[in-house]
Amino acid sequence: MIARGEGAWLQTAGGERILDAISSWWVVTHGHRHPRIVAAIKAQIDALDQVIFAGCTHQPAEDLARGLIAIAPKGLAHVFYSDSGSTSVEVALKMALGFWRNSGKPRSRIIALEHAYHGDTIGTMSAGARGVFNAAYAPLLFEVERLAFPSSGRESETFAALDRLAKDAAALIVEPLLLGAGGMLTYGAEALAEMARICARHGTLLIADEVLTGFGRTGSLFACEQAGIVPDILCLAKGLTGGSLPLAATLCKPEIFEAHYSPDRTRTFFHSSSYTANPVACAAANANLAIWREEPVRERIAALAAMQEERLGRFRGDVRFRHIRRIGTVTALDLKTPDPGYLAALGPDLAKFFRQRGILLRPLGNVIYVLPPYCITAEELDLVYAAIAEAAGTFA
Ligand SMILES: Cc1ncc(COP(=O)(O)O)c(C=O)c1O
């Protein structure tokens, strides 16, 4: 039972402090209860709590849309709001199909990466890898074409398959550079750039799901920046409000907007939800953008990346681990076990072990990862890695 949060720490109802080393499921970027975000929420709730976002708009939503367009990869010119990472991806998939239908050249095939995770709604589960999470719902899921993960040295296989599949496909959806729930797997910026080039050659839309990677996790504001690409559709959630309130945005290029914008109602982009663009959530997101503009967030991220790399160093060469990796502010290492994978018996035991040491880590099976808020200090990170070293001694 958690009663409070501040910075990188949570506090239980009983007063015990827990270090949040996974940013409460990857959402909290600047730390819990950043004062500027808290102040923005308080101010907004006193003015307007909620209003229907059909036929009405409001200043926080207008400001946020402009703010997002200003910082997003150049060319993304329109913003559609929803409430979660999953809905931002559902919206993206629907935009892609609507674009092709309204353009009079219907394309409907979706291409997605092996090990992908895009959410837990029917559409996003369909685009995600199949497995234990969605086996029960398989009869409801639609088929997508699956692309081999572009692991280092095997990228050409992925490119060749994409070149074959992209012809007449509606869209390729990717998590740029870092696949989160699939096991904190990383791939190179050049591979992402090449996938974007192949899509462009075939006129296939590229959807970048930056729900996890957006707002600094991989070292840049958006992971797409590292590949120098502009996706046709960009999905944002989690860190959009600094991790304070649920809100999502799906950005798209003008041609996708134009294909839907018409007095002809059959062309409308039909997607609404009760809390679309909630003013308080938008105000929190505007405060987040202001923090990015006015505080040394990029420097903080670079310092955190360096601290993470330094601490990971002690595990390199440790035979109890394999696949030791870091991208930006995120590190991951696989504890060797006879039954690796998400269902590794080790996972819950590890989580409990860390919890008993006052650290919130939630390994993906045998994959231990550290994905902290950017305010975490060197000393706090030391606590995390000391616990990981101790875990290796206990479990490996
Ligand atoms: C890449 C990615 N896309 C989508 C989602 C779904 O986001 P939400 O849990 O907010 O629906 C997640 C959640 O972890 C994610 O990592």
Side-chain angles (χ1 to χ4, degrees), residues 207-393:
I207 302 172
D209 174 357
E210 293 231 24
V211 167
L212 162 61
T213 54
F215 296 98
R217 293 290 178 196
T218 66
S220 47
L221 178 58
F222 301 113
C224 284
E225 291 170 16
Q226 295 180 42
I229 63 160
V230 181
D232 298 289
I233 304 178
L234 173 71
C235 307
L236 302 174
K238 293 193 187 278
L240 174 57
T241 59
S244 60
L245 287 172
L247 182 70
T250 308
L251 280 67
C252 72
K253 286 185 173 169
E255 49 269 37
I256 297 171
F257 174 83
E258 297 299 341
H260 292 92
Y261 190 64
S262 165
D264 174 359
R265 297 295 307 279
T266 65
R267 299 171 71 90
T268 300
F269 182 66
F270 286 110
H271 190 105
S272 66
S273 115
S274 314
Y275 288 102
T276 296
N278 172 263
V280 184
C282 288
N286 283 322
N288 170 45
L289 263 48
I291 290 166
W292 272 89
R293 276 194 306 271
E294 294 159 25
E295 293 188 18
V297 181
R298 286 176 176 79
E299 289 78 354
R300 242 175 247 156
I301 285 171
L304 173 56
M307 291 194 297
Q308 285 272 65
E309 183 62 37
E310 203 184 319
R311 278 150 192 80
L312 205 56
R314 74 191 262 193
F315 296 99
R316 294 195 195 276
D318 186 330
V319 294
R320 296 169 301 180
F321 292 98
R322 56 183 295 279
H323 201 189
I324 292 172
R325 54 206 183 272
R326 178 186 64 83
I327 181 164
T329 66
V330 181
T331 60
L333 56 178
D334 302 2
L335 193 56
K336 281 187 190 158
T337 172
D339 65 335
Y342 188 82
L343 291 185
L346 200 59
D349 291 345
L350 278 171
K352 193 167 160 206
F353 178 91
F354 293 125
R355 172 68 190 78
Q356 283 162 348
R357 280 149 190 80
I359 291 167
L360 179 57
L361 281 177
R362 207 168 177 277
L364 299 156
N366 63 316
V367 178
I368 300 173
Y369 67 91
V370 184
L371 198 155
Y374 307 149
C375 62
I376 197 166
T377 64
E379 294 70 32
E380 289 163 348
L381 264 189
D382 283 339
L383 298 175
V384 177
Y385 284 91
I388 293 174
E390 200 190 337

Side-chain angles (χ1 to χ4, degrees), residues 12-360:
T12 67
E16 185 200 346
R17 275 160 49 90
I18 301 172
L19 184 54
D20 187 354
I22 55 164
S23 302
S24 282
W25 238 336
W26 322 343
V27 302
V28 176
T29 47
H30 312 296
H32 290 273
R33 289 200 303 113
H34 187 290
R36 292 178 74 161
I37 295 178
V38 171
I41 290 171
K42 285 181 176 167
Q44 182 56 43
I45 199 87
D46 276 342
L48 176 67
D49 51 354
Q50 162 68 9
V51 65
I52 178 172
F53 203 66
C56 298
T57 184
H58 51 79
Q59 205 58 49
E62 295 292 310
D63 292 346
L64 181 58
R66 288 196 182 86
L68 287 174
I69 288 164
I71 59 172
K74 290 286 157 278
L76 292 164
H78 297 273
V79 177
F80 191 93
Y81 292 115
S82 63
D83 331 286
S84 71
S86 298
T87 56
S88 75
V89 175
E90 289 284 346
V91 163
L93 295 170
K94 287 173 66 174
M95 277 183 179
L97 261 76
F99 167 78
W100 287 113
R101 178 179 182 268
N102 291 348
S103 304
K105 322 169 249 200
R107 293 188 184 194
S108 57
R109 285 185 300 114
I110 300 292
I111 309 169
L113 282 180
E114 185 187 14
H115 308 304
Y117 178 80
H118 296 291
D120 273 348
T121 51
I122 297 296
T124 58
M125 281 192 292
S126 299
R130 303 300 164 92
V132 63
F133 313 106
N134 47 43
Y137 325 112
L140 293 181
L141 305 186
F142 56 81
E143 288 306 318
V144 304
E145 275 156 333
R146 199 67 64 188
L147 213 52
F149 179 75
S151 47
S152 177
R154 288 186 45 204
E155 294 94 340
S156 54
E157 203 181 300
T158 307
F159 302 153
L162 179 58
D163 203 27
R164 207 172 49 247
L165 294 173
K167 187 174 180 319
D168 296 331
L172 165 68
I173 179 164
V174 296
E175 292 159 88
L177 307 186
L178 172 66
L179 274 64
M184 293 295 157
L185 304 171
T186 61
Y187 63 95
E190 184 42 47
L192 177 58
E194 181 58 19
M195 289 193 284
R197 277 192 288 273
I198 296 170
C199 284
R201 208 160 53 230
H202 291 284
T204 302
L205 299 178
L206 177 64
I207 302 172
D209 174 357
E210 293 231 24
V211 167
L212 162 61
T213 54
F215 296 98
R217 293 290 178 196
T218 66
S220 47
L221 178 58
F222 301 113
C224 284
E225 291 170 16
Q226 295 180 42
I229 63 160
V230 181
D232 298 289
I233 304 178
L234 173 71
C235 307
L236 302 174
K238 293 193 187 278
L240 174 57
T241 59
S244 60
L245 287 172
L247 182 70
T250 308
L251 280 67
C252 72
K253 286 185 173 169
E255 49 269 37
I256 297 171
F257 174 83
E258 297 299 341
H260 292 92
Y261 190 64
S262 165
D264 174 359
R265 297 295 307 279
T266 65
R267 299 171 71 90
T268 300
F269 182 66
F270 286 110
H271 190 105
S272 66
S273 115
S274 314
Y275 288 102
T276 296
N278 172 263
V280 184
C282 288
N286 283 322
N288 170 45
L289 263 48
I291 290 166
W292 272 89
R293 276 194 306 271
E294 294 159 25
E295 293 188 18
V297 181
R298 286 176 176 79
E299 289 78 354
R300 242 175 247 156
I301 285 171
L304 173 56
M307 291 194 297
Q308 285 272 65
E309 183 62 37
E310 203 184 319
R311 278 150 192 80
L312 205 56
R314 74 191 262 193
F315 296 99
R316 294 195 195 276
D318 186 330
V319 294
R320 296 169 301 180
F321 292 98
R322 56 183 295 279
H323 201 189
I324 292 172
R325 54 206 183 272
R326 178 186 64 83
I327 181 164
T329 66
V330 181
T331 60
L333 56 178
D334 302 2
L335 193 56
K336 281 187 190 158
T337 172
D339 65 335
Y342 188 82
L343 291 185
L346 200 59
D349 291 345
L350 278 171
K352 193 167 160 206
F353 178 91
F354 293 125
R355 172 68 190 78
Q356 283 162 348
R357 280 149 190 80
I359 291 167
L360 179 57

